[in-house]
Amino acid sequence: DAGVIQSPRHEVTEMGQEVTLRCKPISGHDYLFWYRQTMMRGLELLIYFNNNVPIDDSGMPEDRFSAKMPNASFSTLKIQPSEPRDSAVYFCASRGQAGEKLFFGSGTQLSVL
Amino acid sequence: RKEVEQDPGPFNVPEGATVAFNCTYSNSASQSFFWYRQDCRKEPKLLMSVYSSGNEDGRFTAQLNRASQYISLLIRDSKLSDSATYLCVVIDSGNTPLVFGKGTRLSVIA
């Protein structure tokens, strides 16, 4: 099993540009989570899906952020337009049935200049 | 109001020392508890679950105190390889996402 796969590993962009982060969860996992990590705020949950349906997006900071999960094997997190304060590490994670271990991808280090 | 609070550290300890971290949580109905470990520039990984009766895994011991709403992690005979950030994690119910503390940074020094 390849684990949770995220791309790109690093993204450097200029303020105002659109950024798309991608995630492939572990096959068979029903839940997919997007987290953002910064030194100041730690790991924050942005949104999570169950069986491809968004369940809770209350952590999405503002309308500039959107996430989709068109099928069980793919999800995207989009920021449009990006701002310097969006700079962080964005993690995708997946898990099987409720309460089971959470598996993280390697993260995307985003820098918005 | 923070849901899960941890002492950020850093804890700087010599090899062989015993070190303990505490974590407090605000929701008395929380059901499941975990410790995750995160190495520098890496993703978090599950270290161990925390059971009501307390549990041990080698040099690591986790305990839960529901009355005072905290969990703890004890590391005995610290190794250099234990240097990492330790994240306290709480689940309120089976279907809700994990809530992470900000982590406690540990540096084990030779």
Side-chain angles (χ1 to χ4, degrees):
Chain A
D1 194 333
V4 177
I5 300 173
Q6 288 187 249
S7 64
R9 289 295 305 273
H10 304 276
E11 177 81 30
V12 180
T13 191
E14 292 186 346
M15 183 174 65
Q17 296 298 306
E18 178 179 295
V19 174
T20 299
L21 311 181
R22 297 172 175 80
C23 175
K24 181 182 188 311
I26 293 173
S27 177
H29 278 188
D30 301 323
Y31 290 84
L32 183 141
F33 304 83
W34 283 101
Y35 284 90
R36 177 173 69 176
Q37 187 174 39
T38 61
M39 286 289 291
M40 290 297 293
R41 302 172 71 89
L43 263 171
E44 300 175 282
L45 178 67
L46 299 177
I47 184 172
Y48 78 99
F49 297 82
N50 181 20
N51 292 321
N52 313 337
V53 176
I55 302 300
D56 183 354
D57 65 354
S58 60
M60 297 285 261
E62 47 198 274
D63 292 344
R64 297 184 298 106
F65 286 69
S66 63
K68 294 181 180 179
M69 192 165 184
N71 56 63
S73 60
F74 184 64
S75 177
T76 59
L77 178 67
K78 186 174 293 187
I79 308 173
Q80 167 63 20
S82 58
E83 296 183 2
R85 59 193 168 121
D86 301 331
S87 298
V89 180
Y90 291 81
F91 286 106
C92 175
S94 71
R95 77 177 190 211
Q97 294 304 309
E100 287 187 2
K101 179 180 174 180
L102 191 63
F103 293 83
F104 282 83
S106 299
T108 295
Q109 173 76 60
L110 173 65
S111 298
V112 183
L113 306 177
Chain B
R1 185 170 66 98
K2 298 289 186 183
E3 295 184 46
V4 179
E5 294 209 48
Q6 297 183 247
D7 182 341
F11 284 62
N12 299 314
V13 303
E15 270 187 293
T18 295
V19 61
F21 312 133
N22 280 345
C23 164
T24 59
Y25 59 94
S26 60
N27 186 353
S28 60
S30 295
Q31 295 186 0
S32 303
F33 308 88
F34 307 88
W35 284 101
Y36 273 67
R37 170 190 168 132
Q38 185 173 23
D39 293 294
C40 187
R41 300 185 186 281
K42 299 285 189 181
E43 71 274 20
K45 293 183 179 179
L46 179 65
L47 177 66
M48 59 195 301
S49 303
V50 186
Y51 302 122
S52 297
S53 56
N55 48 297
E56 192 173 301
D57 182 2
R59 298 180 293 108
F60 297 81
T61 300
Q63 292 192 315
L64 168 64
N65 185 318
R66 285 194 181 273
S68 300
Q69 294 181 210
Y70 76 84
I71 67 173
S72 64
L73 177 68
L74 181 79
I75 306 175
R76 291 182 299 278
D77 188 23
S78 301
K79 311 291 185 190
L80 294 176
S81 57
D82 294 334
S83 298
T85 296
Y86 291 83
L87 302 163
C88 168
V89 183
V90 174
I91 299 181
D92 290 338
S93 68
N95 291 322
T96 59
L98 284 67
V99 179
F100 284 81
K102 287 189 180 180
T104 298
R105 192 153 61 89
L106 171 67
S107 291
V108 181
I109 305 163

